[in-house]
Amino acid sequence: MALDDWNRVLGTIVTGTFLCSREAFRVMCEQDTCGGRIINNGAPSAYTPRPRSAAYTAAKHAVLGLTRSLALDGRAHNIACGQIDVGNVEPPDGAPQPPARQADGSKAVEATLPVSHFTDALLLMASLPVTANVQSLTVLPTTMPFVGRG
């Protein structure tokens, strides 16, 4: 992998998440009553990577660490921070899911779930009072390769 590609992936995912979270903290603390909730976009790759995904996996590990750090730092400001990790979601245009690289190096079309299942989980996290937090939630199709990616 070229260094420019590595930097682009980490800059987009990690720095982008940091900048959005920093701005959310600022806005939430400027309210009459300081507080709120941040839900970061994680990925199953933060726990179990796919082959040939070093930059993406490293970036999603960093988001996981950032989320946990923000959850800790947010306590003093009544800000809860969690992360939702989403597996394969059906493409919005109804197109078939492209084949994904498997642990053995082959490619296979994997199961997907409707986007409504993801939004239901996201709404659950968002609906809680800031006195409760879902630190991380993984939503994926039951048959999607995850543990050991095989």
Side-chain angles (χ1 to χ4, degrees):
M1 168 175 262
L3 182 58
D4 286 346
D5 292 336
W6 171 272
N7 287 333
R8 181 179 44 79
V9 171
L10 269 72
T12 300
I13 295 172
V14 181
T15 304
T17 301
F18 165 74
L19 292 172
C20 289
S21 298
R22 183 179 70 178
E23 184 64 11
F25 258 74
R26 185 190 65 73
V27 168
M28 290 175 189
C29 286
E30 287 179 354
Q31 302 174 119
D32 289 338
T33 303
C34 187
R37 177 177 308 281
I38 297 169
I39 302 173
N40 286 329
N41 181 20
S45 291
Y47 308 95
T48 307
R50 290 189 182 276
R52 300 181 188 162
S53 66
Y56 182 77
T57 297
K60 290 303 183 174
H61 270 276
V63 169
L64 178 61
L66 177 61
T67 299
R68 289 180 177 170
S69 184
L70 292 171
L72 181 61
D73 294 346
R75 289 177 180 175
H77 308 285
N78 203 31
I79 297 173
C81 187
Q83 171 173 314
I84 189 163
D85 304 311
V86 183
N88 297 335
V89 175
E90 293 173 353
D93 62 1
Q97 179 79 4
R101 188 161 313 277
Q102 304 299 301
D104 65 3
S106 67
K107 288 189 172 184
V109 174
E110 297 177 349
T112 60
L113 54 85
V115 71
S116 62
H117 294 341
F118 161 69
T119 56
D120 288 346
L122 186 61
L123 288 171
L124 167 71
M125 293 175 75
S127 69
L128 294 171
V130 294
T131 55
N133 193 24
V134 176
Q135 185 64 54
S136 65
L137 175 63
T138 302
V139 181
L140 48 88
T142 302
T143 59
M144 179 183 161
F146 178 58
V147 179
R149 290 285 189 186

